[in-house]
Amino acid sequence: MLSINNLSAGYGDVQVLFDVSLTVNPGQCVALLGPNGAGKTTLLRTVCGFIRPLRGKIELFGKSIGGHPVHRVVGTGVAQVMQGRQVLGPMSVRDNLLLGAHVTMAREGAEGVRKLLGEIYELFPILLERENAFAASLSGGEQQMLAIGRALMSRPKAILLDEPSMGLAPRIVEHIGHVLRRIKETGITMLLVEQNPELAFALADRCSVIESGHIVLEGATEELRSHGRVAELYLGQAG
């Protein structure tokens, strides 16, 4: 479904990704593992159009999306939950969610958006309770739920998640993991960047390990889970 072939990208004169290739099949969750600074976030940002690739291909269902602006990438069915949540604090929970619905509005109209909003509130009941509250007043866990809900408001075929458990209490991480499993069960494809190994391994069908902008290992989750090199790269430990 999502195919990345020989992708190179970076920031200005600084190249971060070097000939990265990765495939996520329909309905799968692939975890992208690696130490800080390995290029994980850069890869997600390049797929979503925030960064133009230097070379290589990014395809969704066989159609090229590499180098397209963000709004066009979202229109093809890709959404990103960004690191640090990036909710708009002075706006209400409801308005934050509606910001993610412009694609749905164009395709399904106001009734389609209303129905989808109800689905998000069913998935995250706390957001319904707080729908008129400023996003800045939410806890970190609630803001993460809001960020995920906002991404789902575009009815994506693929969702990219950048560190969804970062800074959250263990109980909230467990809840986020449960919600992500429910989302996966609906058939939405996931590319997950996550430093919490329990969450990553519980969700992922396959894993790819990136180091210094290169994919160095990939395979089924169970195969890589016990691989000594994974612990070294994932946790940034020498040994």
Coordinates of all heavy atoms in Angstrom, one line a residue, residues 36-91:
N36 N 17.7 8.0 18.7 CA 17.5 9.4 18.4 C 18.5 9.8 17.3 O 19.6 9.5 17.4 CB 17.6 10.2 19.7 CG 16.5 10.0 20.7 OD1 15.4 9.5 20.3 ND2 16.8 10.2 21.9
G37 N 17.9 10.6 16.4 CA 18.8 11.2 15.3 C 19.0 10.2 14.2 O 19.8 10.6 13.3
A38 N 18.3 9.1 14.2 CA 18.6 8.1 13.1 C 17.9 8.5 11.8 O 18.2 8.0 10.7 CB 18.1 6.7 13.5
G39 N 16.9 9.4 11.9 CA 16.1 9.8 10.6 C 14.7 9.3 10.6 O 14.0 9.5 9.6
K40 N 14.2 8.9 11.7 CA 12.8 8.4 11.8 C 11.8 9.5 11.5 O 10.9 9.3 10.6 CB 12.5 7.7 13.1 CG 13.5 6.6 13.5 CD 13.1 5.9 14.8 CE 13.1 6.8 16.0 NZ 14.5 7.3 16.3
T41 N 11.9 10.6 12.2 CA 10.9 11.7 12.0 C 11.1 12.3 10.6 O 10.1 12.6 10.0 CB 11.1 12.7 13.1 OG1 10.7 12.2 14.4 CG2 10.3 14.0 12.8
T42 N 12.3 12.4 10.2 CA 12.6 12.9 8.8 C 11.9 12.1 7.8 O 11.3 12.6 6.8 CB 14.1 13.0 8.5 OG1 14.7 13.8 9.5 CG2 14.4 13.5 7.1
L43 N 11.9 10.7 7.9 CA 11.2 9.9 7.0 C 9.7 10.1 7.0 O 9.1 10.3 5.9 CB 11.5 8.4 7.3 CG 10.8 7.3 6.5 CD1 11.2 7.5 5.0 CD2 11.1 5.9 6.9
L44 N 9.1 10.2 8.1 CA 7.7 10.5 8.2 C 7.4 11.9 7.6 O 6.4 12.0 6.8 CB 7.2 10.5 9.6 CG 7.3 9.2 10.4 CD1 6.5 9.3 11.7 CD2 6.8 8.0 9.6
R45 N 8.2 12.9 7.9 CA 7.9 14.2 7.3 C 8.1 14.2 5.8 O 7.4 15.0 5.1 CB 8.8 15.2 8.0 CG 8.5 15.5 9.5 CD 9.5 16.4 10.1 NE 9.5 17.7 9.5 CZ 8.7 18.7 9.8 NH1 7.7 18.5 10.7 NH2 8.7 19.9 9.1
T46 N 9.0 13.4 5.3 CA 9.2 13.4 3.8 C 8.0 12.7 3.2 O 7.5 13.1 2.1 CB 10.5 12.6 3.5 OG1 11.6 13.3 4.2 CG2 10.7 12.7 2.0
V47 N 7.5 11.6 3.8 CA 6.3 10.9 3.2 C 5.1 11.9 3.2 O 4.4 11.9 2.2 CB 6.0 9.7 4.0 CG1 4.6 9.1 3.6 CG2 7.1 8.6 3.9
C48 N 5.0 12.7 4.2 CA 3.8 13.6 4.3 C 3.9 14.8 3.5 O 2.9 15.6 3.4 CB 3.5 13.9 5.8 SG 2.7 12.5 6.7
G49 N 5.1 15.1 3.0 CA 5.2 16.3 2.1 C 5.8 17.5 2.8 O 5.9 18.6 2.2
F50 N 6.2 17.4 4.1 CA 6.8 18.6 4.8 C 8.2 18.8 4.3 O 8.8 19.9 4.3 CB 6.9 18.3 6.3 CG 5.5 18.4 6.9 CD1 4.8 17.2 7.3 CD2 4.9 19.6 7.2 CE1 3.6 17.2 7.9 CE2 3.6 19.6 7.8 CZ 3.0 18.5 8.1
I51 N 8.9 17.7 3.8 CA 10.2 17.8 3.2 C 10.2 17.2 1.8 O 9.6 16.1 1.6 CB 11.2 16.9 4.1 CG1 11.3 17.5 5.5 CG2 12.6 16.9 3.5 CD1 12.1 16.6 6.5
R52 N 10.8 17.9 0.9 CA 10.9 17.4 -0.5 C 12.0 16.4 -0.6 O 13.2 16.7 -0.2 CB 11.1 18.5 -1.5 CG 9.9 19.4 -1.7 CD 10.1 20.4 -2.8 NE 10.3 19.7 -4.1 CZ 9.3 19.3 -4.9 NH1 8.0 19.5 -4.5 NH2 9.5 18.8 -6.0
P53 N 11.8 15.2 -1.2 CA 12.9 14.2 -1.3 C 13.9 14.7 -2.3 O 13.6 15.4 -3.3 CB 12.2 13.0 -1.8 CG 10.9 13.5 -2.5 CD 10.5 14.7 -1.7
L54 N 15.2 14.3 -2.0 CA 16.3 14.6 -3.0 C 16.2 13.7 -4.2 O 16.5 14.0 -5.3 CB 17.6 14.4 -2.3 CG 17.9 15.4 -1.1 CD1 19.2 15.0 -0.3 CD2 17.9 16.8 -1.5
R55 N 15.8 12.4 -3.9 CA 15.6 11.4 -4.9 C 14.9 10.3 -4.3 O 14.7 10.1 -3.1 CB 16.9 11.0 -5.5 CG 17.9 10.4 -4.6 CD 19.3 10.1 -5.2 NE 20.3 9.8 -4.2 CZ 21.0 10.7 -3.6 NH1 20.9 12.0 -3.8 NH2 21.9 10.3 -2.7
G56 N 14.4 9.4 -5.2 CA 13.7 8.2 -4.7 C 12.2 8.4 -5.0 O 11.7 9.4 -5.4
K57 N 11.4 7.3 -4.7 CA 10.0 7.3 -4.9 C 9.2 7.0 -3.6 O 9.6 6.2 -2.8 CB 9.6 6.2 -5.9 CG 10.2 6.5 -7.3 CD 9.7 5.4 -8.3 CE 10.3 5.6 -9.7 NZ 9.9 4.5 -10.6
I58 N 8.1 7.7 -3.5 CA 7.1 7.3 -2.5 C 5.8 7.1 -3.2 O 5.3 8.0 -3.9 CB 6.9 8.5 -1.4 CG1 8.3 8.9 -0.9 CG2 6.0 8.1 -0.3 CD1 8.3 10.2 0.0
E59 N 5.2 6.0 -3.0 CA 3.9 5.6 -3.7 C 2.9 5.1 -2.7 O 3.2 4.4 -1.7 CB 4.2 4.6 -4.7 CG 5.1 5.0 -5.9 CD 5.3 4.0 -6.9 OE1 5.2 2.8 -6.6 OE2 5.5 4.3 -8.1
L60 N 1.6 5.5 -2.9 CA 0.5 5.0 -2.2 C -0.4 4.3 -3.2 O -0.9 5.0 -4.1 CB -0.3 6.2 -1.5 CG -1.4 5.7 -0.5 CD1 -0.8 5.1 0.7 CD2 -2.3 6.9 -0.2
F61 N -0.7 3.0 -3.0 CA -1.5 2.3 -4.0 C -0.9 2.4 -5.4 O -1.7 2.5 -6.4 CB -2.9 2.6 -3.9 CG -3.6 2.1 -2.7 CD1 -4.2 3.0 -1.8 CD2 -3.7 0.8 -2.4 CE1 -4.9 2.6 -0.7 CE2 -4.4 0.3 -1.3 CZ -5.0 1.2 -0.5
G62 N 0.4 2.5 -5.5 CA 1.0 2.6 -6.9 C 1.0 4.0 -7.5 O 1.6 4.1 -8.6
K63 N 0.5 5.0 -6.8 CA 0.5 6.3 -7.3 C 1.5 7.1 -6.6 O 1.6 7.1 -5.3 CB -0.9 7.0 -7.2 CG -2.0 6.3 -8.0 CD -3.3 7.0 -7.9 CE -4.3 6.3 -8.8 NZ -5.7 7.0 -8.7
S64 N 2.3 7.9 -7.3 CA 3.4 8.7 -6.7 C 2.8 9.8 -5.8 O 1.9 10.6 -6.3 CB 4.3 9.2 -7.8 OG 5.3 10.1 -7.2
I65 N 3.4 9.9 -4.6 CA 3.0 11.1 -3.8 C 4.3 11.8 -3.3 O 4.3 12.8 -2.6 CB 2.2 10.7 -2.5 CG1 3.0 9.7 -1.6 CG2 0.9 10.1 -2.9 CD1 2.3 9.4 -0.3
G66 N 5.5 11.3 -3.8 CA 6.7 11.9 -3.4 C 6.9 13.3 -3.9 O 6.7 13.6 -5.1
G67 N 7.2 14.3 -3.0 CA 7.4 15.7 -3.4 C 6.1 16.5 -3.5 O 6.1 17.7 -3.8
H68 N 4.9 15.8 -3.3 CA 3.7 16.6 -3.3 C 3.5 17.4 -2.1 O 4.0 17.0 -1.0 CB 2.5 15.6 -3.4 CG 2.4 14.9 -4.7 ND1 1.3 14.0 -5.0 CD2 3.2 14.9 -5.8 CE1 1.5 13.5 -6.3 NE2 2.6 14.0 -6.7
P69 N 2.8 18.5 -2.2 CA 2.6 19.4 -1.0 C 1.7 18.6 0.0 O 1.0 17.7 -0.3 CB 1.9 20.6 -1.5 CG 1.3 20.2 -2.8 CD 2.2 19.1 -3.4
V70 N 1.7 19.0 1.3 CA 1.1 18.3 2.4 C -0.4 18.1 2.1 O -1.0 17.0 2.3 CB 1.3 19.1 3.7 CG1 0.5 18.4 4.8 CG2 2.7 19.1 4.1
H71 N -1.1 19.2 1.6 CA -2.6 19.0 1.4 C -2.9 18.0 0.4 O -3.9 17.3 0.5 CB -3.2 20.4 1.1 CG -2.8 20.9 -0.3 ND1 -1.7 21.6 -0.5 CD2 -3.5 20.8 -1.5 CE1 -1.6 21.9 -1.8 NE2 -2.7 21.5 -2.4
R72 N -2.0 17.8 -0.6 CA -2.3 16.8 -1.6 C -2.0 15.4 -1.1 O -2.7 14.5 -1.4 CB -1.4 17.1 -2.9 CG -1.9 18.2 -3.7 CD -1.1 18.3 -5.0 NE -1.3 17.1 -5.8 CZ -0.5 16.9 -6.9 NH1 0.4 17.8 -7.3 NH2 -0.7 15.8 -7.6
V73 N -1.0 15.3 -0.3 CA -0.7 14.0 0.4 C -1.9 13.6 1.2 O -2.3 12.4 1.2 CB 0.6 14.0 1.2 CG1 0.8 12.7 1.9 CG2 1.8 14.3 0.2
V74 N -2.4 14.5 2.0 CA -3.6 14.2 2.9 C -4.8 13.8 2.0 O -5.5 12.9 2.3 CB -3.9 15.4 3.8 CG1 -5.2 15.2 4.5 CG2 -2.8 15.7 4.8
G75 N -4.9 14.5 0.9 CA -6.0 14.1 0.0 C -5.9 12.8 -0.6 O -7.0 12.2 -0.9
T76 N -4.7 12.2 -0.7 CA -4.6 10.8 -1.2 C -4.9 9.8 -0.2 O -5.0 8.6 -0.5 CB -3.2 10.6 -1.8 OG1 -2.2 10.7 -0.7 CG2 -2.8 11.6 -2.9
G77 N -4.9 10.2 1.1 CA -5.3 9.2 2.1 C -4.2 9.0 3.2 O -4.2 7.9 3.8
V78 N -3.3 9.9 3.4 CA -2.2 9.8 4.4 C -2.4 10.9 5.4 O -2.6 12.0 5.1 CB -0.8 9.9 3.7 CG1 0.3 9.8 4.8 CG2 -0.6 8.8 2.7
A79 N -2.3 10.5 6.7 CA -2.4 11.5 7.8 C -1.3 11.2 8.7 O -0.8 10.0 8.9 CB -3.7 11.4 8.5
Q80 N -0.8 12.2 9.4 CA 0.3 12.1 10.4 C -0.1 12.6 11.7 O -0.7 13.7 11.8 CB 1.6 12.8 9.9 CG 2.7 12.6 10.9 CD 4.0 13.3 10.4 OE1 4.1 13.8 9.3 NE2 5.1 13.2 11.2
V81 N 0.2 11.8 12.8 CA 0.1 12.3 14.1 C 1.5 12.7 14.5 O 2.4 11.8 14.7 CB -0.4 11.2 15.1 CG1 -0.5 11.7 16.5 CG2 -1.8 10.7 14.6
M82 N 1.8 14.0 14.7 CA 3.1 14.5 14.8 C 3.7 14.3 16.2 O 2.9 14.3 17.2 CB 3.2 16.0 14.4 CG 2.7 16.2 12.9 SD 2.8 17.9 12.4 CE 4.6 18.0 12.2
Q83 N 4.9 14.3 16.3 CA 5.6 14.2 17.6 C 5.3 15.5 18.4 O 5.3 16.6 17.9 CB 7.1 14.1 17.4 CG 7.9 13.9 18.7 CD 9.4 13.7 18.4 OE1 10.2 14.7 18.5 NE2 9.8 12.6 17.9
G84 N 5.0 15.3 19.7 CA 4.6 16.4 20.5 C 3.2 16.9 20.4 O 2.8 17.9 20.9
R85 N 2.4 16.1 19.6 CA 1.0 16.3 19.5 C 0.5 17.5 18.7 O -0.3 17.4 17.8 CB 0.3 16.4 20.9 CG 0.6 15.1 21.7 CD 0.0 15.1 23.1 NE 0.8 15.8 24.1 CZ 1.8 15.2 24.7 NH1 2.1 14.0 24.4 NH2 2.6 15.9 25.6
Q86 N 1.1 18.7 18.9 CA 0.9 19.8 18.0 C -0.6 20.2 17.9 O -1.0 20.6 16.8 CB 1.5 19.6 16.6 CG 2.9 19.2 16.6 CD 3.9 20.2 17.1 OE1 3.6 21.4 16.9 NE2 4.9 19.9 17.8
V87 N -1.3 20.1 19.0 CA -2.7 20.6 19.0 C -2.7 22.2 19.1 O -1.7 22.7 19.5 CB -3.5 20.0 20.1 CG1 -3.6 18.5 19.9 CG2 -3.0 20.4 21.5
L88 N -3.7 22.8 18.7 CA -3.8 24.3 18.7 C -4.5 24.6 20.0 O -5.7 24.6 20.2 CB -4.6 24.8 17.5 CG -3.9 24.5 16.2 CD1 -4.7 25.0 15.0 CD2 -2.5 25.0 16.1
G89 N -3.7 25.1 21.0 CA -4.2 25.3 22.4 C -5.3 26.3 22.5 O -6.2 26.0 23.3
P90 N -5.3 27.4 21.8 CA -6.3 28.4 22.0 C -7.7 28.0 21.4 O -8.7 28.8 21.6 CB -5.8 29.7 21.3 CG -4.3 29.4 21.2 CD -4.2 27.9 21.0
M91 N -7.7 26.9 20.7 CA -9.0 26.5 20.0 C -9.6 25.4 20.8 O -8.9 24.6 21.5 CB -8.7 26.1 18.6 CG -8.2 27.2 17.7 SD -7.8 26.6 16.0 CE -9.4 26.1 15.5

